[in-house]
Amino acid sequence: EAGVVQSPRYKIIEKKQPVAFWCNPISGHNTLYWYRQNLGQGPELLIRYENEEAVDDSQLPKDRFSAERLKGVDSTLKIQPAELGDSAVYLCASAGRTYQETQYFGPGTRLLVL
Amino acid sequence: SQQGEEDPQALSIQEGENATMNCSYKTSINNLQWYRQNSGRGLVHLILIRSNEREKHSGRLRVTLDTSKKSSSLLITASRAADTASYFCATIAGFKTIFGAGTRLFVKA
């Protein structure tokens, strides 16, 4: 079974530029998460999808971050414009049916904003 | 804010020794999960323990949960150099998943 796929793995951009991250969850998983992980910290939830519905986006900085999950499968997280403080690892995870189940994480996208 | 708080922040042991790390949380939970993260990698799920369970085992891993003290512990027995990683607890409370800052374990060969 293929795991969670994320791309790109690394991204370096200048501040004020836009950036997008892509995630393909494990086949059949209804729940999809985007997390941000700063160096030396645990993951911080940005948004959770149940199928194509964003059921928890309370931690998503909506002035510059947006996300979508078309058709309830792949998801894209966008930052526009990026700021220096956005430098972090962005992790995508998926779970089977509900938020209470085991989460399977992708390798993450390491973003550096210069 | 992060609900799960791991203790210690860092732990260095010799291969073959046991490693114990603790997680404390603030509110009632549905379940608690432990994850491992190797340097530069994604998180790997280790064990899920539900709020009505007190102990679970998986290979060399033993997890306990004390809901009265709002705490959990992860014990790794007979540690190996390959166990070197960061270990995170994640609490599932209501609709929220909250990770702690993690314990960094270093196992010396």
Side-chain angles (χ1 to χ4, degrees):
Chain A
E1 179 182 79
V4 176
V5 179
Q6 289 187 249
S7 69
R9 292 294 310 278
Y10 304 92
K11 189 75 177 178
I12 301 174
I13 61 172
E14 294 189 347
K15 63 181 180 180
K16 299 185 181 179
Q17 294 299 306
V19 63
F21 314 121
W22 176 80
C23 173
N24 180 242
I26 292 173
S27 177
H29 279 192
N30 297 334
T31 307
L32 184 145
Y33 307 79
W34 282 104
Y35 290 90
R36 175 171 60 192
Q37 185 176 25
N38 292 309
L39 190 64
Q41 297 295 315
E44 176 188 16
L45 180 68
L46 293 174
I47 190 167
R48 175 170 66 89
Y49 281 94
E50 296 288 344
N51 297 304
E52 63 273 9
E53 182 182 359
V55 295
D56 184 1
D57 62 356
S58 57
Q59 298 289 92
L60 190 72
K62 298 183 183 61
D63 57 336
R64 297 184 300 108
F65 285 65
S66 64
E68 61 181 11
R69 190 184 184 196
L70 300 177
K71 300 181 181 177
V73 182
D74 294 3
S75 177
T76 303
L77 178 69
K78 298 178 181 177
I79 308 175
Q80 182 171 14
E83 298 179 350
L84 296 178
D86 295 330
S87 294
V89 176
Y90 291 82
L91 295 164
C92 178
S94 69
R97 287 178 298 173
T98 76
Y99 61 93
Q100 295 193 37
E101 295 189 21
T102 297
Q103 296 179 35
Y104 296 87
F105 283 79
T109 296
R110 188 174 299 273
L111 173 68
L112 180 60
V113 182
L114 301 176
Chain B
S1 62
Q2 293 178 320
Q3 176 169 229
E5 297 292 338
E6 285 94 338
D7 171 59
Q9 291 185 338
L11 181 61
S12 180
I13 60 174
Q14 292 289 141
E15 205 167 30
E17 294 180 341
N18 296 341
T20 299
M21 49 205 88
N22 305 294
C23 171
S24 60
Y25 56 92
K26 297 187 177 79
T27 64
S28 298
I29 60 172
N30 301 105
N31 67 57
L32 186 146
Q33 304 177 21
W34 284 92
Y35 290 82
R36 183 187 70 222
Q37 185 176 38
N38 291 91
S39 180
R41 305 277 186 90
L43 281 78
V44 174
H45 179 260
L46 297 176
I47 288 185
L48 181 155
I49 186 164
R50 302 192 186 281
S51 58
N52 61 352
E53 297 175 313
R54 292 298 167 256
E55 187 171 311
K56 285 191 83 170
H57 297 256
S58 176
R60 295 183 296 111
L61 306 180
R62 172 178 171 255
V63 167
T64 61
L65 178 64
D66 188 333
T67 53
S68 67
K69 295 181 179 179
K70 292 186 171 57
S71 67
S72 174
S73 67
L74 170 66
L75 168 68
I76 304 174
T77 59
S79 63
R80 306 167 182 168
D83 294 328
T84 294
S86 291
Y87 292 81
F88 296 92
C89 70
T91 53
I92 316 300
F95 298 103
K96 296 286 187 183
T97 301
I98 301 177
F99 283 83
T103 291
R104 279 134 198 88
L105 173 65
F106 182 65
V107 182
K108 292 176 282 188

